[in-house]
Coordinates of all heavy atoms in Angstrom, one line a residue:
M15 N 0.8 -1.2 0.0 CA 0.0 0.0 0.0 C 0.9 1.2 0.0 O 1.8 1.3 0.8 CB -0.9 0.0 1.3 CG -1.8 1.1 1.3 SD -2.8 1.2 2.8 CE -3.9 -0.1 2.5
G16 N 0.6 2.2 -0.9 CA 1.4 3.4 -1.0 C 1.0 4.4 0.1 O 0.0 4.3 0.7
R17 N 1.9 5.3 0.3 CA 1.7 6.4 1.3 C 0.8 7.5 0.6 O 1.0 7.8 -0.5 CB 3.0 7.0 1.7 CG 3.8 6.0 2.5 CD 4.9 6.7 3.1 NE 4.5 7.0 4.4 CZ 5.3 7.3 5.4 NH1 6.6 7.2 5.3 NH2 4.8 7.6 6.6
R18 N -0.1 8.0 1.4 CA -1.0 9.0 0.9 C -0.3 10.4 1.3 O 0.3 10.5 2.3 CB -2.3 9.0 1.6 CG -3.1 7.8 1.1 CD -4.5 7.8 1.8 NE -5.2 6.7 1.5 CZ -6.5 6.6 1.4 NH1 -7.2 7.7 1.8 NH2 -7.2 5.5 1.1
R19 N -0.6 11.3 0.4 CA -0.1 12.7 0.7 C -1.0 13.3 1.8 O -2.2 13.2 1.8 CB -0.2 13.5 -0.6 CG 0.2 14.9 -0.4 CD 0.0 15.7 -1.7 NE -0.1 17.1 -1.3 CZ 0.8 18.0 -1.8 NH1 1.7 17.7 -2.6 NH2 0.6 19.3 -1.5
G20 N -0.4 13.8 2.8 CA -1.1 14.4 4.0 C -1.9 15.6 3.6 O -1.6 16.4 2.7
T21 N -3.1 15.7 4.2 CA -4.0 16.8 3.9 C -4.0 17.8 5.1 O -4.5 18.9 4.9 CB -5.4 16.4 3.6 OG1 -5.9 15.6 4.7 CG2 -5.4 15.5 2.4
M22 N -3.4 17.5 6.2 CA -3.4 18.4 7.3 C -2.1 19.3 7.2 O -1.1 18.8 6.8 CB -3.2 17.6 8.7 CG -4.5 17.3 9.3 SD -4.3 16.8 11.0 CE -4.5 15.0 10.8
S23 N -2.2 20.5 7.5 CA -1.1 21.4 7.4 C -0.1 21.0 8.6 O -0.5 20.5 9.6 CB -1.5 22.9 7.6 OG -2.0 23.1 8.9
D24 N 1.1 21.4 8.4 CA 2.1 21.1 9.4 C 1.8 21.8 10.7 O 2.0 21.3 11.8 CB 3.5 21.5 8.9 CG 4.1 20.5 7.9 OD1 3.6 19.4 7.8 OD2 5.0 20.9 7.1
G25 N 1.3 23.0 10.6 CA 0.9 23.8 11.7 C -0.1 23.2 12.6 O -0.1 23.1 13.8
L26 N -1.2 22.6 11.9 CA -2.2 21.9 12.6 C -1.7 20.7 13.2 O -2.1 20.4 14.4 CB -3.4 21.6 11.6 CG -4.6 20.8 12.2 CD1 -5.2 21.6 13.4 CD2 -5.6 20.5 11.1
K27 N -0.9 19.9 12.5 CA -0.3 18.7 13.1 C 0.5 19.0 14.4 O 0.3 18.3 15.4 CB 0.5 18.0 12.1 CG -0.3 17.3 11.0 CD 0.5 16.3 10.2 CE 1.6 17.0 9.3 NZ 2.2 16.1 8.4
M28 N 1.3 20.1 14.3 CA 2.1 20.5 15.5 C 1.2 20.9 16.7 O 1.4 20.5 17.8 CB 3.0 21.6 15.2 CG 4.1 21.2 14.2 SD 5.3 20.1 15.0 CE 6.5 20.0 13.7
E29 N 0.1 21.7 16.4 CA -0.8 22.1 17.4 C -1.5 20.9 18.0 O -1.6 20.9 19.3 CB -1.8 23.0 16.7 CG -2.9 23.6 17.7 CD -3.9 24.4 17.0 OE1 -3.5 25.2 16.1 OE2 -5.1 24.4 17.4
L30 N -1.9 20.0 17.2 CA -2.6 18.8 17.8 C -1.6 17.9 18.6 O -2.0 17.4 19.6 CB -3.2 18.0 16.6 CG -4.4 18.6 15.9 CD1 -4.8 17.8 14.7 CD2 -5.5 18.8 16.8
A31 N -0.4 17.8 18.1 CA 0.6 17.0 18.9 C 0.8 17.6 20.2 O 1.0 16.9 21.2 CB 1.9 16.9 18.1
K32 N 0.9 19.0 20.3 CA 1.1 19.6 21.6 C -0.1 19.4 22.5 O 0.0 19.1 23.7 CB 1.3 21.1 21.4 CG 2.6 21.5 20.8 CD 2.7 23.0 20.5 CE 4.0 23.3 19.8 NZ 4.1 24.7 19.4
E33 N -1.3 19.6 21.9 CA -2.6 19.4 22.7 C -2.7 18.0 23.2 O -3.1 17.8 24.3 CB -3.8 19.7 21.8 CG -5.1 19.6 22.4 CD -6.3 19.9 21.5 OE1 -6.1 20.8 20.6 OE2 -7.3 19.3 21.7
L34 N -2.3 17.0 22.4 CA -2.4 15.6 22.8 C -1.3 15.0 23.6 O -1.3 13.9 24.0 CB -2.7 14.7 21.6 CG -4.0 15.1 20.8 CD1 -4.1 14.4 19.5 CD2 -5.2 14.8 21.7
G35 N -0.2 15.8 23.7 CA 0.9 15.5 24.6 C 2.0 14.6 24.0 O 2.8 14.0 24.8
F36 N 2.2 14.6 22.7 CA 3.3 13.8 22.1 C 4.2 14.7 21.2 O 4.9 14.1 20.4 CB 2.8 12.5 21.4 CG 1.8 12.8 20.3 CD1 2.2 13.0 19.0 CD2 0.5 12.7 20.5 CE1 1.3 13.2 18.0 CE2 -0.5 12.9 19.5 CZ 0.0 13.1 18.2
Y37 N 4.1 16.0 21.4 CA 4.9 16.9 20.6 C 6.4 16.6 20.8 O 7.2 16.7 19.9 CB 4.6 18.3 21.0 CG 5.4 19.4 20.2 CD1 5.1 19.6 18.9 CD2 6.4 20.1 20.8 CE1 5.8 20.5 18.1 CE2 7.1 21.0 20.1 CZ 6.8 21.2 18.8 OH 7.5 22.2 18.1
D38 N 6.8 16.3 22.0 CA 8.2 16.1 22.3 C 8.7 14.8 21.5 O 9.9 14.8 21.1 CB 8.5 15.9 23.8 CG 7.6 14.8 24.5 OD1 6.6 14.5 23.9 OD2 8.0 14.3 25.5
K39 N 7.9 13.8 21.4 CA 8.2 12.6 20.6 C 8.4 13.0 19.1 O 9.4 12.5 18.5 CB 7.1 11.6 20.7 CG 7.4 10.3 20.0 CD 8.2 9.5 20.9 CE 7.8 8.0 20.6 NZ 8.8 7.1 21.2
V40 N 7.6 13.9 18.6 CA 7.7 14.4 17.2 C 9.0 15.1 17.1 O 9.7 15.0 16.1 CB 6.5 15.2 16.8 CG1 6.7 15.9 15.4 CG2 5.2 14.4 16.8
Q41 N 9.3 16.0 18.0 CA 10.6 16.7 18.0 C 11.8 15.9 17.9 O 12.8 16.2 17.2 CB 10.7 17.7 19.2 CG 9.7 18.8 19.1 CD 10.0 19.8 18.0 OE1 9.3 19.7 17.0 NE2 10.9 20.7 18.2
T42 N 11.8 14.8 18.7 CA 13.0 13.9 18.8 C 13.1 12.9 17.7 O 14.1 12.6 17.1 CB 13.1 13.2 20.1 OG1 11.9 12.4 20.4 CG2 13.3 14.2 21.3
D43 N 11.9 12.3 17.3 CA 11.9 11.1 16.4 C 11.2 11.4 15.1 O 11.2 10.6 14.2 CB 11.1 9.9 17.1 CG 11.8 9.5 18.3 OD1 13.0 9.7 18.5 OD2 11.1 8.9 19.2
G44 N 10.6 12.6 14.9 CA 9.9 12.9 13.7 C 8.5 12.2 13.7 O 8.1 11.5 14.7
W45 N 7.7 12.4 12.7 CA 6.4 11.9 12.6 C 6.3 10.4 12.6 O 5.4 9.8 13.0 CB 5.6 12.5 11.5 CG 5.3 13.9 11.7 CD1 5.8 15.0 11.1 CD2 4.3 14.5 12.6 NE1 5.3 16.2 11.6 CE2 4.4 15.9 12.5 CE3 3.5 13.9 13.6 CZ2 3.6 16.7 13.3 CZ3 2.7 14.7 14.3 CH2 2.8 16.1 14.2
G46 N 7.4 9.8 12.1 CA 7.5 8.3 12.1 C 7.6 7.7 13.4 O 7.4 6.5 13.6
G47 N 7.9 8.5 14.4 CA 8.1 8.0 15.8 C 6.9 7.9 16.6 O 6.9 7.4 17.7
I48 N 5.8 8.5 16.2 CA 4.6 8.4 17.0 C 3.9 7.1 16.8 O 4.1 6.4 15.8 CB 3.6 9.6 16.7 CG1 3.0 9.5 15.2 CG2 4.3 10.9 16.9 CD1 1.9 10.5 15.0
T49 N 3.1 6.7 17.8 CA 2.3 5.5 17.7 C 1.1 5.6 16.8 O 0.6 6.7 16.5 CB 1.9 5.0 19.1 OG1 0.9 6.0 19.6 CG2 3.0 4.9 20.1
T50 N 0.6 4.4 16.4 CA -0.6 4.4 15.6 C -1.8 5.0 16.4 O -2.6 5.7 15.8 CB -0.9 3.0 15.2 OG1 0.2 2.4 14.5 CG2 -2.2 2.9 14.3
R51 N -1.8 4.8 17.7 CA -2.8 5.3 18.5 C -2.8 6.8 18.6 O -3.8 7.5 18.5 CB -2.7 4.8 20.0 CG -3.8 5.3 20.9 CD -3.7 4.6 22.2 NE -3.9 3.2 22.1 CZ -4.9 2.6 22.7 NH1 -5.7 3.2 23.5 NH2 -5.0 1.3 22.5
D52 N -1.5 7.4 18.7 CA -1.4 8.8 18.7 C -1.8 9.4 17.3 O -2.5 10.5 17.3 CB 0.1 9.2 18.9 CG 0.5 9.0 20.4 OD1 -0.4 9.0 21.3 OD2 1.7 8.9 20.6
A53 N -1.5 8.8 16.2 CA -1.9 9.3 14.9 C -3.4 9.2 14.8 O -4.0 10.2 14.3 CB -1.3 8.4 13.8
G54 N -4.0 8.2 15.3 CA -5.5 8.0 15.3 C -6.2 9.1 16.1 O -7.2 9.7 15.7
N55 N -5.6 9.4 17.3 CA -6.1 10.4 18.2 C -6.0 11.8 17.5 O -6.9 12.6 17.7 CB -5.5 10.4 19.5 CG -5.9 9.2 20.4 OD1 -7.0 8.6 20.2 ND2 -5.1 8.8 21.3
M56 N -4.9 12.0 16.8 CA -4.7 13.3 16.1 C -5.8 13.5 15.0 O -6.4 14.5 14.9 CB -3.3 13.3 15.5 CG -2.9 14.6 15.0 SD -1.2 14.8 14.6 CE -1.0 13.6 13.2
V57 N -6.0 12.4 14.3 CA -7.1 12.5 13.2 C -8.4 12.7 13.8 O -9.2 13.5 13.4 CB -7.0 11.2 12.3 CG1 -8.2 11.2 11.4 CG2 -5.7 11.2 11.5
K58 N -8.7 12.0 14.9 CA -10.0 12.1 15.6 C -10.2 13.5 16.1 O -11.3 14.1 15.9 CB -10.1 11.1 16.8 CG -11.4 11.2 17.5 CD -11.3 10.2 18.6 CE -12.6 10.2 19.5 NZ -12.6 9.3 20.6
R59 N -9.2 14.1 16.7 CA -9.3 15.5 17.2 C -9.5 16.5 16.0 O -10.2 17.5 16.1 CB -8.1 15.8 18.0 CG -8.1 17.2 18.6 CD -9.2 17.4 19.6 NE -9.2 18.7 20.1 CZ -10.3 19.5 20.1 NH1 -11.5 19.1 19.7 NH2 -10.2 20.7 20.5
A60 N -8.8 16.3 14.9 CA -8.9 17.2 13.8 C -10.3 17.1 13.2 O -10.9 18.2 12.8 CB -7.9 16.8 12.7
I61 N -10.9 15.9 13.2 CA -12.3 15.8 12.7 C -13.2 16.5 13.7 O -14.2 17.2 13.3 CB -12.7 14.3 12.6 CG1 -11.9 13.7 11.4 CG2 -14.2 14.2 12.4 CD1 -12.0 12.2 11.3
E62 N -13.0 16.4 15.0 CA -13.8 17.1 16.0 C -13.8 18.6 15.8 O -14.8 19.3 15.8 CB -13.4 16.8 17.4 CG -13.7 15.4 17.8 CD -13.1 15.0 19.2 OE1 -12.2 15.8 19.7 OE2 -13.4 13.9 19.7
I63 N -12.6 19.1 15.5 CA -12.4 20.6 15.3 C -13.1 21.0 14.0 O -13.8 22.0 14.0 CB -10.9 20.9 15.2 CG1 -10.2 20.8 16.6 CG2 -10.7 22.4 14.7 CD1 -8.7 20.8 16.6
A64 N -13.0 20.2 13.0 CA -13.7 20.5 11.7 C -15.2 20.5 11.9 O -15.9 21.4 11.4 CB -13.3 19.6 10.6
E65 N -15.7 19.5 12.6 CA -17.2 19.5 12.9 C -17.7 20.7 13.7 O -18.7 21.2 13.4 CB -17.5 18.2 13.6 CG -17.4 16.9 12.7 CD -17.7 15.6 13.4 OE1 -17.5 15.6 14.7 OE2 -18.0 14.6 12.7
Q66 N -16.9 21.1 14.7 CA -17.2 22.2 15.5 C -17.3 23.5 14.6 O -18.2 24.3 14.7 CB -16.3 22.4 16.6 CG -16.4 21.4 17.7 CD -15.3 21.5 18.8 OE1 -14.3 22.3 18.6 NE2 -15.4 20.8 19.9
S67 N -16.3 23.6 13.7 CA -16.2 24.8 12.9 C -17.5 24.8 11.9 O -18.1 25.9 11.7 CB -14.9 24.7 12.1 OG -14.9 25.8 11.2
L68 N -17.8 23.7 11.4 CA -19.0 23.6 10.5 C -20.3 23.9 11.2 O -21.1 24.6 10.7 CB -19.1 22.2 9.8 CG -18.1 21.9 8.8 CD1 -18.2 20.5 8.3 CD2 -18.3 22.8 7.6
A69 N -20.4 23.4 12.5 CA -21.6 23.7 13.3 C -21.7 25.2 13.6 O -22.8 25.8 13.5 CB -21.5 22.9 14.6
E70 N -20.6 25.8 13.9 CA -20.6 27.3 14.2 C -20.9 28.1 12.9 O -21.7 29.0 13.0 CB -19.2 27.7 14.7 CG -18.9 27.2 16.1 CD -17.5 27.5 16.5 OE1 -16.7 28.1 15.8 OE2 -17.1 27.0 17.6
Q71 N -20.4 27.6 11.8 CA -20.7 28.3 10.5 C -22.2 28.2 10.2 O -22.8 29.2 9.7 CB -19.9 27.8 9.4 CG -18.5 28.2 9.4 CD -17.7 27.6 8.3 OE1 -18.2 26.8 7.5 NE2 -16.4 27.8 8.3
S72 N -22.8 27.0 10.4 CA -24.2 26.8 10.1 C -25.1 27.6 11.0 O -26.2 28.0 10.7 CB -24.6 25.4 10.0 OG -24.5 24.8 11.3
Q73 N -24.7 27.8 12.3 CA -25.5 28.6 13.2 C -25.5 30.1 12.9 O -26.5 30.8 13.2 CB -24.9 28.4 14.6 CG -25.2 27.1 15.2 CD -24.6 26.9 16.6 OE1 -23.8 27.8 17.1 NE2 -24.9 25.8 17.3
K74 N -24.5 30.6 12.2 CA -24.4 32.0 11.9 C -25.3 32.3 10.7 O -25.6 33.4 10.5 CB -22.9 32.3 11.5 CG -22.0 32.3 12.7 CD -20.6 32.7 12.3 CE -19.7 32.7 13.5 NZ -18.3 33.0 13.1
K75 N -25.7 31.3 9.9 CA -26.5 31.6 8.7 C -28.0 31.6 9.1 O -28.5 31.3 10.0 CB -26.3 30.5 7.7 CG -24.9 30.5 7.1 CD -24.7 29.5 6.1 CE -23.3 29.6 5.5 NZ -23.1 28.7 4.4

């Protein structure tokens, strides 16, 4: 299976890593050093943020 090109910006990934508590691991080992669980939690949190943003936008209309 080939690698997919990431769709999250580097800034968002860094922000999420800090929020979820594994930013230091990224700093020392790079993105390849995080666990699958950490990556999944990062995606889950990004989806939550996107859903919140969409909900706020729809309330303003």
